[in-house]
């Protein structure tokens, strides 16, 4: 693929991501995507034959890359487990921070079109099994050495997902309740990230006998 072709493809992916997040899968229109990407409708279909193919590509690039990134962090066995966990939390948080509409989009799509869960499941399954296996092995070793408290990997992963994702889901209600204006650049989001890391670090700290 030439540099020009790659630029066109990336423009389509950027426009499509905005269209899907704004309008959902059913509301998204390939004509709008093409217009916003600065390409013809025919050119869009040259790169992506169907809307579903485009959706899958975006989902793979967003969730798949995130999953691989977290897995890469946990396979750095030369680093202490707490340091790796802190890096994984930060990596996940920053992806959600850069894509704050993504959690609600996923919930909406699963709720309204359960069959689309297959796409999500296929993407997640490519890294989830290896991630959980690696996490559990290293968590158990660290626990045996007295470095952390005992915890199972699925629970720890759910803790991270819950702490990182929920603030962005509840953001409009939280702003209304507190009077805060939580723009993406707000210092609140950085403080929230550090709070999430501290909460999980405390959970991992062994209780004193």
């Amino acid at each position: 693929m030439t540099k020009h072709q790659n630029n066109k493809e990336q423009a389509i992916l950027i426009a499509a991501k905005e269209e899907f997040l704004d309008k959902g899968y059913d509301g998204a229109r390939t004509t709008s995507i093409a217009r916003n990407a600065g390409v013809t409708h025919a050119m869009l279909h040259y790169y992506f034959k169907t809307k579903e193919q485009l959706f899958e590509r975006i989902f793979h690039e967003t969730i798949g890359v995130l999953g691989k990134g977290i897995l890469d962090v946990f396979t750095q066995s030369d680093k202490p487990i707490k340091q790796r966990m802190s890096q994984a939390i930060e990596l996940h948080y920053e992806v959600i921070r850069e894509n704050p509409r993504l959690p609600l989009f996923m919930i909406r799509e699963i709720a309204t079109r359960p069959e689309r869960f297959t796409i999500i499941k296929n993407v997640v399954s490519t890294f989830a099994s290896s991630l959980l296996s690696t996490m559990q092995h290293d968590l158990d070793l660290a626990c045996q050495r007295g470095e952390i408290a005992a915890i199972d990997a699925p629970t720890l992963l759910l803790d991270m997902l819950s702490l990182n994702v929920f603030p962005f889901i509840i953001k409009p209600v939280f702003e209304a309740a507190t009077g805060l204006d939580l723009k993406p650049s707000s210092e609140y989001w950085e403080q929230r990230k550090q709070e999430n890391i501290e909460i999980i670090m405390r959970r991992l700290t062994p209780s004193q006998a």
Side-chain angles (χ1 to χ4, degrees):
M1 183 180 292
T2 66
K3 183 178 180 179
H4 176 72
Q5 289 174 319
N6 185 62
N7 289 341
K8 290 293 185 183
E9 183 179 68
Q10 287 305 310
I12 292 169
L13 289 171
I14 291 170
K17 186 175 182 179
E18 288 299 308
E19 182 81 2
F20 284 129
L21 290 176
D22 280 343
K23 302 176 182 177
Y25 181 89
D26 289 334
R29 296 291 177 264
T30 54
T31 50
S32 296
I33 294 170
R35 182 176 61 254
N36 292 331
V39 301
T40 65
H41 198 231
M43 183 175 289
L44 182 148
H45 283 291
Y46 169 78
Y47 287 101
F48 301 97
K49 304 300 182 186
T50 65
K51 185 168 75 168
E52 184 171 273
Q53 186 184 64
L54 187 53
F55 175 80
E56 288 190 38
R57 172 69 178 275
I58 291 169
F59 202 83
H60 271 278
E61 290 199 355
T62 304
I63 303 300
V65 170
L66 171 61
K68 183 181 183 303
I70 294 176
L71 180 58
D72 288 345
V73 167
F74 270 98
T75 53
Q76 297 173 16
S77 55
D78 57 316
K79 295 181 179 180
I81 189 69
K82 280 190 173 183
Q83 181 181 345
R84 282 182 275 163
M85 192 66 223
S86 178
Q87 290 175 341
I89 297 168
E90 184 165 2
L91 174 63
H92 177 256
Y93 185 92
E94 289 301 333
V95 170
I96 301 301
R97 186 178 181 177
E98 292 171 8
N99 301 274
R101 293 170 294 170
L102 184 62
L104 272 177
F105 171 79
M106 290 178 60
I107 292 171
R108 184 172 62 243
E109 291 302 310
I110 293 173
T112 58
R113 287 294 186 89
E115 66 273 16
R116 205 129 47 230
F117 177 68
T118 301
I119 295 175
I120 298 173
K121 182 179 179 181
N122 289 342
V123 174
V124 172
S125 65
T126 59
F127 64 84
S129 179
S130 295
L131 175 60
L132 288 172
S133 177
T134 299
M135 284 180 65
Q136 193 64 66
H137 176 266
D138 290 357
L139 288 168
D140 290 344
L141 287 179
C143 181
Q144 291 168 16
R145 293 192 294 264
E147 297 170 0
I148 64 169
I151 189 171
D152 62 277
T155 295
L156 186 56
L157 189 60
L158 185 59
D159 287 345
M160 181 183 78
L161 294 173
S162 301
L163 286 168
N164 282 351
V165 171
F166 186 71
F168 295 97
I169 293 177
I170 202 68
K171 176 178 173 288
V173 176
F174 187 65
E175 286 180 318
T178 61
L180 294 173
D181 182 12
L182 300 180
K183 296 182 174 66
S185 59
S186 171
E187 180 61 25
Y188 171 83
W189 296 117
E190 186 62 29
Q191 294 171 355
R192 184 67 235 174
K193 179 176 67 178
Q194 296 307 319
E195 178 73 11
N196 292 350
I197 292 172
E198 290 175 14
I199 289 171
I200 291 185
M201 290 304 105
R202 286 198 297 269
R203 170 62 182 86
L204 291 175
T205 301
S207 58
Q208 297 300 316

